[in-house]
Amino acid sequence: MTSQIFDTLIRAARVVDGSGGPSFAADIGIVDGVIAAIAPGLSRKGARQVIDADGLVAAPGFIDSHSHDDVYLLAEPDGAAKVRQGITTVVIGNCGFSMAPILPETQLQAMESLAIIGARSLPGKPHRGWRFAEYLERLEAARPALNVVPLVGHGTLRIAAMGIENRPAGEGEKRQMAHLLEEALEAGAFGLSSGLVYVPGAFADTAELCALARVAAAWGGLYTTHMRSEADLVMEAIRETLTIGEHAGLPVHISHLKVMGRANWGRSRETLGCLQQAREAGLRVTCDVYPYTAGSTSLAAALPPALQSEGPEVFAERLKDRSLRAEIRRTIETQTAGDWENLIYVDTFEGMVLVKAPRHPEYCGRSIAAIAEAENRDPFDVFFDLLVEEKMDAVVVEFMMHEDDVIRILQSPFAMVATDGLPGFGSDLFHPRFTGAFPRVLGRYVRDMESLRLEEAVWKMTGLPAETFGLARRGRLQPGCAADIVLFDPMTVADRGTYEKPNVSPLGIHCVWVNGRLALPADGLSTERWGKVLRRPQE
Ligand code: ZN
Ligand code: CU
């Protein structure tokens, strides 16, 4: 037997290979960024680096199937918050928000609407706009530590074609969106994402989405969606998603599947049942989930979208008007299950905790209700004043789920793990899913609560997303696969970030390799970065 010489040899690991199958003991040999061998007793002769993994699990590097790292990886290409979780690949462009294409005529509106994913922290603004290929080149030039799987956001496409207008797209505008989408798919995008509770995604009808999904289908892409409702109308929203999948003939993926609001707790049985049925009927349907009972989004998402057709900053000015406030308040108080996602009805002011309000740091960490009580004001006034003063750029964490639903969704055979993290950009308050989602699943839901088997959880973090997004030779520990690997201690792995103090590194993640190179050595973050911007179709 000729003994191969490895660049890196990981010795005596418990291999959880990402297939969902039982773990086994073996060594892993890496050559030129690729897994060359997995077997017991591999030769260490000549290896430049030998890592003893006794007592540790080796798994494929985790794939964050739903991230908002579009700006984060340009601003902070070391991706520390992700690498420290064992994540080696992130899917970006989610919930209708992608940083491209941006056209010069609507650049301002695009950048305002992308504030939620950190557009204001973008190094080097796209003054003359940029097409999708150019954005991917910028990302590549930043040399991110993680692999990136880009999606095109429907909201971004719509702004490029018609600005922020509350009306159906005209034929010419639909053609323009389809053309820009096609250009992005040609540049390597993996599919189309939508955010149907946000402006301007909420203004699109099903036919518009079907037409665009058909374009994605022609390029072998998928359709991912933050659905029109995750509360009272969640079943209607699921039916719309399935309709799009059927009509366009492409796989659909539901982002952060959940049921929000006390009145809907327990309905994950119903939603999962419906999705399971659709799968049995032959539709390719998957979803992602973050392992927390709170979500996070912009405070402005709690406003009825219909009124906001001039973009956030203009609307913030208009919100000073008392009669407009009264009208919105009436809509919020009377419309429990209307044609928009009523977050104040779902979360309540008690459940909405401010995490980003640049002009009001003293409010951060407190609920709208608590602020109102302390200042003896009406919570609606606090809400409207904040939107005006922050020019709509405020973010909340919203407590609105039941853990039983979170667990039921996590356990579903077509659900994968995601962070859905909104980067903090140096702030010390944000939803802790950004720094802890993956270790939290392994610690809390695998080890402590035994809701999932370890092999199953790892598959939901690796093999399943790789298959869903069509990532060739990733998401598995197999000879021939890219050497994206995480080494962790199943006995200690845990998230440590809390809602009060989210910016804390997880425990138990020992080493992380991206394309065969150490991104996280045992003694801290590497200064070199080895991620690739992935493009579809892949060889
Ligand atoms: Zn979303
Ligand atoms: Cu999202």
Side-chain angles (χ1 to χ4, degrees):
M1 181 182 143
T2 56
S3 68
Q4 217 175 340
I5 294 176
F6 302 112
D7 299 335
T8 297
L9 180 71
I10 302 171
R11 275 200 59 253
R14 174 179 165 201
V15 177
V16 177
D17 68 4
S19 68
S23 64
F24 54 92
D27 300 346
I28 302 170
I30 302 172
V31 177
D32 282 340
V34 173
I35 297 172
I38 302 183
L42 293 177
S43 163
R44 63 190 302 156
K45 221 170 107 197
R48 259 182 281 153
Q49 178 186 58
V50 178
I51 304 255
D52 187 11
D54 201 18
L56 301 179
V57 165
F62 302 145
I63 298 170
D64 186 356
S65 51
H66 184 121
S67 91
H68 291 288
D69 293 341
D70 310 60
V71 176
Y72 175 60
L73 289 180
L74 287 170
E76 300 173 37
D78 66 6
K82 296 299 173 76
V83 172
R84 289 183 194 281
Q85 294 187 56
I87 294 167
T88 57
T89 300
V90 295
V91 178
I92 63 168
N94 281 292
C95 296
F97 302 110
S98 62
M99 285 306 297
I102 292 177
L103 301 190
E105 308 81 60
T106 43
Q107 194 257 126
L108 222 86
Q109 287 153 298
M111 293 299 280
E112 281 180 17
S113 100
L114 292 164
I116 182 170
I117 61 168
R120 293 197 167 94
S121 305
L122 183 73
K125 309 270 182 284
H127 292 295
R128 287 183 313 280
W130 53 28
R131 297 299 176 87
F132 208 79
E134 195 185 337
Y135 167 73
L136 293 187
E137 281 158 23
R138 281 281 303 266
L139 203 51
E140 222 149 39
R143 295 190 303 110
L146 302 145
N147 303 311
V148 182
V149 174
L151 301 173
V152 196
H154 162 260
T156 301
L157 285 175
R158 203 174 205 268
I159 292 175
M162 57 187 287
I164 298 177
E165 303 250 1
N166 180 11
R167 58 174 175 82
E171 283 313 310
E173 290 157 346
K174 278 192 204 165
R175 268 199 304 278
Q176 165 84 325
M177 281 191 261
H179 167 73
L180 290 169
L181 171 58
E182 192 152 48
E183 203 178 78
L185 291 159
E186 194 175 3
F190 285 73
L192 171 71
S193 85
S194 69
L196 304 181
V197 303
Y198 297 114
V199 173
F203 304 147
D205 56 18
T206 310
E208 175 179 328
L209 297 161
C210 272
L212 292 173
R214 240 174 260 133
V215 176
W219 286 78
L222 83 172
Y223 170 69
T224 76
T225 181
H226 177 155
M227 299 188 296
R228 244 177 252 278
S229 175
E230 300 175 319
D232 296 9
L233 298 184
V234 64
M235 288 306 291
E236 287 79 353
I238 286 179
R239 275 193 283 276
E240 178 183 39
T241 307
L242 299 177
T243 300
I244 294 167
E246 276 160 24
H247 282 240
L250 86 179
V252 294
H253 177 88
I254 298 175
S255 299
H256 42 65
L257 184 67
K258 63 169 83 72
V259 280
M260 306 197 302
R262 198 171 277 274
N264 296 304
W265 287 353
R267 292 185 68 197
S268 55
R269 285 190 198 88
E270 200 183 328
T271 58
L272 290 169
C274 172
L275 296 173
Q276 183 56 40
Q277 250 177 26
R279 285 168 61 87
E280 280 159 17
L283 212 64
R284 284 165 296 169
V285 186
T286 50
C287 67
D288 59 69
V289 53
Y290 51 84
Y292 297 83
T293 53
S296 181
T297 191
S298 66
L299 183 63
L303 290 167
L307 297 163
Q308 311 169 55
S309 32
E310 311 99 323
E313 295 204 1
V314 177
F315 193 71
E317 275 305 300
R318 279 187 54 205
L319 257 187
K320 290 177 178 165
D321 178 49
R322 287 266 141 209
S323 59
L324 177 63
R325 287 186 179 198
E327 183 190 339
I328 294 176
R329 180 176 185 156
R330 235 180 351 262
T331 313
I332 288 172
E333 284 177 333
T334 54
Q335 219 163 349
T336 49
D339 55 359
W340 61 287
E341 192 84 309
N342 189 340
L343 287 184
I344 292 174
Y345 157 70
V346 168
D347 302 345
T348 72
F349 282 129
E350 282 75 31
M352 286 184 140
V353 175
L354 219 58
V355 292
K356 181 186 172 195
R359 290 165 191 85
H360 283 288
E362 76 280 11
Y363 286 168
C364 288
R366 298 161 68 191
S367 73
I368 305 270
I371 297 166
E373 202 187 301
E375 299 187 351
N376 202 11
R377 291 160 69 201
D378 187 296
F380 272 98
D381 288 332
V382 174
F383 170 65
F384 289 128
D385 286 346
L386 265 168
L387 289 170
V388 171
E389 286 160 28
E390 301 295 350
K391 296 192 189 332
M392 308 279 259
D393 186 22
V395 177
V396 287
V397 163
E398 347 148 53
F399 293 86
M400 42 51 176
M401 288 176 255
H402 193 287
E403 192 172 24
D404 290 351
D405 289 311
V406 175
I407 293 174
R408 197 174 292 122
I409 295 169
L410 259 177
Q411 289 172 329
S412 140
F414 48 87
M416 55 203 81
V417 178
T419 66
D420 193 13
L422 294 170
F425 296 104
S427 105
D428 37 296
L429 215 53
F430 47 84
H431 192 305
R433 63 193 183 182
F434 180 61
T435 52
F438 284 73
R440 182 174 172 85
V441 169
L442 296 170
R444 180 172 177 83
Y445 295 109
V446 172
R447 182 189 56 239
D448 300 346
M449 294 179 70
E450 299 181 351
S451 311
L452 290 168
R453 286 181 305 110
L454 177 63
E455 288 88 345
E456 202 183 347
V458 167
W459 171 69
K460 288 168 174 290
M461 300 173 172
T462 59
L464 180 58
E467 186 191 313
T468 303
F469 289 90
L471 310 185
R473 291 194 286 280
R474 291 188 197 269
R476 290 288 175 91
L477 291 186
Q478 257 170 21
C481 284
D484 294 341
I485 303 173
V486 51
L487 212 55
F488 65 90
D489 183 346
M491 304 304 287
T492 62
V493 65
D495 61 309
R496 284 193 299 175
T498 60
Y499 293 106
E500 291 75 32
K501 200 165 176 269
N503 207 1
V504 190
S505 299
L507 282 177
I509 306 289
H510 281 236
C511 292
V512 178
W513 287 264
V514 176
N515 295 308
R517 312 295 285 265
L518 268 174
L520 186 73
D523 55 358
L525 215 59
S526 161
T527 50
E528 290 172 85
R529 308 188 296 267
W530 306 100
K532 290 182 180 167
V533 175
L534 304 177
R535 289 171 170 84
R536 191 186 173 94
Q538 299 191 294
E539 7 42 278

